[in-house]
Amino acid sequence: MGELFNYGKEARLFPTTKSAEDRATSIFLATLGIVDVYRQTLMKTVGMKVSKSGRDFEVYVHPQFGGRQSPKDIPDGMIKVEKSGSIWKSLIEVKINKSDLDQAQLE
């Protein structure tokens, strides 16, 4: 992914945004950043080992695209793990209620 995605907004446990989807994203990511057992267990499912302290782990809401993409075409969140000089990033798309992920969001 290189530097296609830059840092976004801070994930907050008590978000102030009006969007229910943005609140769910922020709470999920903030909890992941705070609760080490939860973070380690979830990251293990994707083959990533993170430190107990979480110093190698960062989460963001609405990471910004580099390049020519529109400001509205952004994922809901991003997880970043930096270890031994390498960086691993994962984009998060959150759906609530009966919302479905569509092909345009994947592209």
Side-chain angles (χ1 to χ4, degrees), residues 30-95:
T31 303
L32 200 57
I34 294 168
V35 182
D36 64 325
V37 174
Y38 180 43
R39 174 178 57 248
Q40 289 179 17
T41 302
L42 183 71
M43 296 307 292
K44 187 176 181 181
T45 68
V46 293
M48 292 299 300
K49 189 171 185 173
V50 293
S51 68
K52 253 187 165 176
S53 69
R55 281 184 242 146
D56 55 354
F57 186 85
E58 298 174 22
V59 291
Y60 300 97
V61 177
H62 292 295
Q64 298 300 306
F65 274 114
R68 298 179 305 217
Q69 287 86 0
S70 161
K72 70 178 184 161
D73 296 330
I74 55 175
D76 294 321
M78 179 176 75
I79 296 172
K80 177 183 171 187
V81 178
E82 190 167 354
K83 295 183 85 126
S84 305
S86 67
I87 298 174
W88 178 88
K89 294 179 183 177
S90 177
L91 301 177
I92 307 296
E93 185 63 35
V94 173
K95 294 296 172 197

Side-chain angles (χ1 to χ4, degrees), residues 11-25:
R12 297 177 175 268
L13 192 54
F14 300 103
T16 57
T17 181
K18 292 181 181 180
S19 163
E21 189 172 281
D22 287 349
R23 286 193 310 270
T25 304

